[in-house]
């Protein structure tokens, strides 16, 4: 009985806390996680040391170094049960239309992409989720919000017209109407989406016309 109580007590501390927000763009309600104290590499080392001894901290440091080295060799890294890592590349200059304009020194590392393994996601299957009580909040519209709206718009247009999403033309005017952005903001954000590889600029046109990348 005592063992069961201890087990229940331990599991009761495992909980995801959230609060509800509402976007000004669409009025949709959505949850965001309310973070507790961050779990750092030092916390992980302390747990590993407790279970496997002092050498485990050095093993963790070495593992992180090896992963970084493998990524630096141009390899993707897959850890069974955890997830996979790969590099994201981007051009360091804008408005490049011809392959011959690109030099090796123009390529930069934009970031590292991580995709969680099914087993890792499964570890969260039985976690309790509880709302943090309080006043509902309205969050300011972000560039990410507007990108989601644009992406959904393009796919709806593609479905309605029986074409590929890459065949749907995105104009500054359409983006302004869809998101409520100013002309300056619309042009700036569409250019940002192009830089990030989300959009492609339609060549040989004076107007700013884009299509989604596939």
């Amino acid at each position: 009985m005592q063992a069961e109580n201890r087990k229940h007590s331990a599991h009761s501390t495992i909980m995801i806390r959230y609060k509800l927000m509402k976007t000004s763009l669409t009025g949709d309600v959505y949850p965001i996680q309310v973070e507790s104290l961050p779990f750092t590499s030092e916390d992980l080392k302390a747990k590993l040391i407790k279970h496997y001894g002092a050498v485990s901290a050095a093993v963790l440091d070495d593992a992180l170094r090896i992963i970084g080295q493998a990524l630096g060799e141009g390899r993707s890294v897959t850890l069974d049960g955890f997830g996979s890592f790969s590099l994201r590349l981007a051009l360091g200059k804008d408005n490049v239309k011809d392959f011959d304009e690109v030099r090796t020194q123009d390529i930069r590392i934009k970031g590292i992409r991580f995709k969680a393994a099914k087993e890792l996601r499964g570890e969260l299957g039985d976690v309790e989720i509880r709302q943090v009580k309080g006043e509902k909040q309205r969050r300011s519209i972000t560039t990410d919000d507007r990108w989601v709206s644009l992406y959904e718009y393009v796919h709806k247009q593609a479905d309605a017209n029986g074409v590929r999403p890459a065949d749907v033309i995105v104009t500054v005017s359409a983006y302004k109407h869809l998101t409520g952005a100013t002309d300056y903001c619309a042009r700036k954000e569409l250019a940002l989406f192009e830089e990030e590889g989300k959009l492609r600029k339609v060549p040989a046109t004076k107007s700013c016309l884009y299509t989604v990348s596939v």
Side-chain angles (χ1 to χ4, degrees), residues 16-86:
I16 294 175
R17 300 164 66 242
Y18 74 94
K19 61 181 178 181
L20 293 176
M21 305 285 282
K22 178 178 284 193
T23 174
S24 301
L25 182 60
T26 63
D28 292 339
V29 173
Y30 62 94
I32 64 169
Q33 182 181 350
V34 177
E35 293 190 18
S36 4
L37 292 176
F39 186 82
T40 68
S41 58
E42 294 305 314
D43 295 323
L44 178 56
K45 287 179 183 178
K47 285 184 174 292
L48 291 175
I49 289 172
K50 181 178 179 180
H51 288 89
Y52 305 107
V55 70
S56 59
V59 171
L60 177 61
D61 286 337
D62 203 32
L64 295 176
R65 181 188 61 79
I66 292 171
I67 290 173
Q69 185 178 49
L71 289 170
E73 294 171 352
R75 305 168 67 185
S76 62
V77 176
T78 299
L79 305 179
D80 292 343
F82 184 67
S84 58
F85 301 84
S86 60

Side-chain angles (χ1 to χ4, degrees), residues 7 12 24 45 50 90 92 105-106 136 142 159 189 191 207:
K7 182 178 180 181
S12 65
S24 301
K45 287 179 183 178
K50 181 178 179 180
Q105 53 265 40
D106 296 327
K136 309 299 185 296
T142 67
D159 290 341
E189 291 187 350
S207 303

